Amino acid sequence: MSHRQGGDAEYFADEYEMDDVEEDIDIDGESINREGGDVDSDVDEYDYSSSKAVDTTAAQARRGQDIQGIPWDSLSITRERYRQTRLEQYKNYENIPQSGERSGKDCNSTDKGYSFYEFRRNSRSVKSTILHFQLRNLVWATSKHDVYLMSQFSVTHWSSLTCTRSEVLNVSGHVAPSEKHPGSLLEGFTHTQVSTLAVKDNLLVAGGFQGELICKHLDRPGVSFCSRTTYDDNAITNAIEIYASPSGAVHFTASNNDCGIRNFDMEKFQLSKHFRFPWPVNHTSLSPDGKLLLIVGDNPESMLVDSQNGKTIAPLSGHLDFSFASSWNPDGVTFATGNQDKTCRIWDMRNLSKSVAVLKGNLGAIRSIRHSSDGKYMAIAEPADFVHVYDVKSGYEKEQEIDFFGEISGISFSPDTESLFIGVWDRTYGSLLEYGRRHNYSYADLMIYYLKFVVIVGRVCVYNGVCVWKVR
């Protein structure tokens, strides 16, 4: 990933708020800046500081209200015109020039008219933030109602059931472990800039710009473990993946800009493996059987390696720029890689000579990829404005395109696949978007469902505790 010196906590904002930013639209005295130069849309400061309700519900959206609460009717530009302007003027970040333009020839055509997940709620009372423009794995769902995300210097828990938020970990000051384990830095860290996050199996791991790793068990008070992966100048932790080993022990893998990946055993609180590669590692995914690691980074070519010894099993050629996202389908046969050439490539273990599908983004790099736990759907996120959900069984031909405005801090399916959460970073309209899975039940399915709630006692039929009719 792109590396710059400096310890400014506003790294992401500084990266995009440059002096030569071109303001392309002026709406009622407020500017909407091109995402390639500024992460803030700043449509206007509509009701954000007021006491009015700013969240948008599914019922309001069905009545025609904008899902983000943007008052298009009172603005001097239509949503359609502004969308077209964004598509025309967005500058995709590339390490290899023209990679996005050159990647289009191999892309699959898709039908975007599907709706696998329907809008449920936009919660503007919880703000999702980003510190590095290339790292977008800062949203994690642990149930269909529970989400963890970064909000400034706070790891925040959001309950979509009660619409309440709570602080889980604050890294703005001094953070030190409350438990003693060999290898843990008891002095802890101060003013950690969180670059990446992962939450799974009751474990939260935050990675920092200086190679910090902060581990907290959600069922224990305080922080359990602190470690610094490296003291290299180029030390940023790019990605973290938490998984259970065959023995059931909880592990996590950290991908770093010093060209290394490190595996930590959280049962023993120790580093168990350390592999080095020829280029910075931006993301790593472990196969469902635990035998293979998918490695992507600052090289157009990705690779599959043996998870036990780090030896390369197969190179993966096809992308034209650096990759920042990867994900295995739970079937263990197919997997995906996301690249700054604006494409997501699908690979099949049975033939690794070339990708079996190439999916194209609208604006920019594919920065995050997630599969639903049943393997039916795959979601990919661009840097801003678009999340694409594909039906895997259709060969990725059926697509749902989720369209909004703002930088994307992360995406996450809930473990039961019922919810999809999208973090949106924006000064005014930053929020958490929630979508719910649609179920198309047959008449027979519905009858079975309702009969579960019906009890017939003698001549009385009771539905959900209420007498609905009596036999005469």
Side-chain angles (χ1 to χ4, degrees):
M1 55 161 282
S2 297
H3 174 69
R4 289 168 175 79
Q5 297 288 344
D8 188 355
E10 299 300 324
Y11 188 101
F12 180 71
D14 289 347
E15 185 69 36
Y16 281 85
E17 294 178 356
M18 298 177 288
D19 293 336
D20 61 351
V21 171
E22 183 181 322
E23 294 185 355
D24 48 76
I25 302 178
D26 186 42
I27 299 183
D28 297 342
E30 299 291 340
S31 62
I32 299 182
N33 295 324
R34 193 159 30 85
E35 288 295 338
D38 192 329
V39 297
D40 299 323
S41 67
D42 285 347
V43 177
D44 70 358
E45 297 296 327
Y46 179 71
D47 277 348
Y48 182 68
S49 60
S50 75
S51 59
K52 296 181 181 180
V54 293
D55 291 359
T56 306
T57 66
Q60 291 171 323
R62 285 194 293 270
R63 292 195 295 268
Q65 182 170 321
D66 181 82
I67 63 170
Q68 294 180 275
I70 301 174
W72 295 106
D73 290 344
S74 66
L75 301 179
S76 59
I77 187 171
T78 64
R79 189 186 195 281
E80 292 73 21
R81 181 185 161 202
Y82 182 48
R83 166 55 65 215
Q84 187 59 38
T85 300
R86 296 267 281 192
L87 290 170
E88 292 172 355
Q89 297 188 356
Y90 184 89
K91 285 186 178 180
N92 178 44
Y93 186 90
E94 298 173 337
N95 287 98
I96 300 177
Q98 284 80 52
S99 64
E101 296 178 14
R102 293 186 290 116
S103 66
K105 60 181 181 180
D106 298 327
C107 294
N108 295 48
S109 60
T110 62
D111 181 353
K112 297 182 179 182
Y114 289 85
S115 180
F116 310 121
Y117 283 78
E118 57 188 356
F119 175 77
R120 188 179 287 164
R121 188 179 190 88
N122 180 49
S123 301
R124 284 175 62 189
S125 51
V126 56
K127 290 280 189 178
S128 178
T129 55
I130 309 165
L131 278 184
H132 196 286
F133 72 104
Q134 290 172 305
L135 306 179
R136 307 300 184 90
N137 293 294
L138 296 168
V139 175
W140 294 86
T142 56
S143 81
K144 63 182 178 182
H145 300 304
D146 297 286
V147 193
Y148 294 82
L149 64 156
M150 285 304 303
S151 185
Q152 299 298 333
F153 282 97
S154 173
V155 180
T156 300
H157 168 255
W158 172 257
S159 170
S160 64
L161 187 63
T162 61
C163 292
T164 57
R165 67 178 184 270
S166 58
E167 185 176 79
V168 178
L169 178 65
N170 190 304
V171 296
S172 62
H174 183 238
V175 175
S178 56
E179 303 174 17
K180 293 184 178 180
H181 300 285
S184 184
L185 292 177
L186 299 182
E187 65 271 25
F189 304 112
T190 300
H191 200 67
T192 305
Q193 296 171 255
V194 174
S195 53
T196 191
L197 180 74
V199 186
K200 187 179 180 181
D201 295 335
N202 235 8
L203 176 66
L204 181 155
V205 184
F209 273 61
Q210 303 302 318
E212 304 98 330
L213 291 171
I214 301 173
C215 307
K216 175 179 174 57
H217 287 88
L218 297 177
D219 56 353
R220 304 181 197 174
V223 170
S224 297
F225 183 76
C226 287
S227 177
R228 191 182 294 277
T229 57
T230 177
Y231 288 89
D232 191 287
D233 289 339
N234 201 359
I236 188 168
T237 304
N238 293 326
I240 294 166
E241 182 181 28
I242 300 172
Y243 67 95
S245 69
S247 67
V250 177
H251 286 236
F252 72 87
T253 298
S255 306
N256 281 80
N257 226 46
D258 69 344
C259 305
I261 66 167
R262 295 164 176 84
N263 183 278
F264 289 82
D265 183 340
M266 282 292 95
E267 297 297 315
K268 300 177 181 178
F269 291 94
Q270 67 178 25
L271 176 67
S272 59
K273 295 185 182 71
H274 179 197
F275 304 139
R276 292 190 63 84
F277 298 94
W279 28 259
V281 180
N282 295 327
H283 200 272
T284 304
S285 296
L286 183 69
S287 62
D289 63 7
K291 295 180 179 180
L292 298 172
L293 280 171
L294 172 57
I295 311 292
V296 303
D298 284 6
N299 193 296
E301 192 173 83
S302 305
M303 63 176 73
L304 282 178
V305 305
D306 189 304
S307 64
Q308 297 304 308
N309 56 33
K311 292 183 178 180
T312 302
I313 292 174
L316 304 169
S317 300
H319 281 302
L320 304 178
D321 208 310
F322 297 172
S323 294
F324 283 81
S326 65
S327 178
W328 282 86
N329 188 300
D331 65 11
V333 177
T334 59
F335 55 89
T337 53
N339 193 274
Q340 289 184 157
D341 65 7
K342 297 185 182 181
T343 69
C344 171
R345 287 182 177 264
I346 311 300
W347 309 83
D348 191 310
M349 280 296 299
R350 294 163 295 193
N351 181 9
L352 295 172
S353 61
K354 64 177 183 177
S355 54
V356 296
V358 185
L359 308 171
K360 184 79 168 182
N362 295 327
L363 286 177
I366 306 305
R367 300 232 176 262
S368 188
I369 306 173
R370 296 285 184 268
H371 281 90
S372 61
S373 60
D374 59 8
K376 290 185 177 180
Y377 300 108
M378 182 187 74
I380 67 173
E382 299 186 46
D385 293 18
F386 292 102
V387 170
H388 309 266
V389 183
Y390 296 92
D391 178 2
V392 173
K393 290 188 176 180
S394 73
Y396 307 92
E397 293 180 358
K398 298 177 181 178
E399 175 189 351
Q400 174 182 2
E401 186 175 85
I402 301 175
D403 179 335
F404 51 94
F405 295 102
E407 294 287 319
I408 300 169
S409 63
I411 56 174
S412 183
F413 286 108
S414 60
D416 62 1
T417 78
E418 289 300 309
S419 298
L420 171 63
F421 295 93
I422 303 168
V424 181
W425 195 102
D426 181 85
R427 182 178 298 154
T428 304
Y429 291 96
S431 65
L432 186 68
L433 287 167
E434 178 186 356
Y435 285 76
R437 185 166 176 173
R438 300 188 67 176
H439 294 279
N440 297 316
Y441 293 111
S442 66
Y443 178 77
D445 292 331
L446 289 173
M447 288 301 297
I448 293 172
Y449 175 79
Y450 285 121
L451 286 173
K452 290 180 181 178
F453 297 93
V454 176
V455 179
I456 299 177
V457 182
R459 304 169 101 181
V460 178
C461 178
V462 178
Y463 172 71
N464 246 9
V466 179
C467 177
V468 291
W469 50 259
K470 294 181 181 180
V471 178
R472 296 184 181 276

